[in-house]
Amino acid sequence: MTAATTARTRTTELTELATTLGTAVEHLKTLELAHNTARHLADLATGNAPGG
């Protein structure tokens, strides 16, 4: 395998990994928002909310 072929292969693999990572990060953002909402509701229910 030539250096150019190796570089192209690695570039393709890294591009695919970057896309996968971006998707995972967006999914985690959604989960974090849901967690924050649940935490806030739990704090309200137990009287631990800031300013409460």
Side-chain angles (χ1 to χ4, degrees):
M1 189 176 292
T2 68
T5 302
T6 300
R8 277 192 293 275
T9 300
R10 288 185 179 166
T11 298
T12 300
E13 291 170 349
L14 287 172
T15 300
E16 291 170 1
L17 286 171
T19 300
T20 301
L21 179 60
T23 301
V25 167
E26 288 305 314
H27 181 69
L28 287 174
K29 286 180 184 178
T30 302
L31 293 174
E32 181 181 25
L33 179 60
H35 168 76
N36 290 341
T37 300
R39 168 56 52 203
H40 179 68
L41 290 173
D43 286 345
L44 287 173
T46 60
N48 294 325

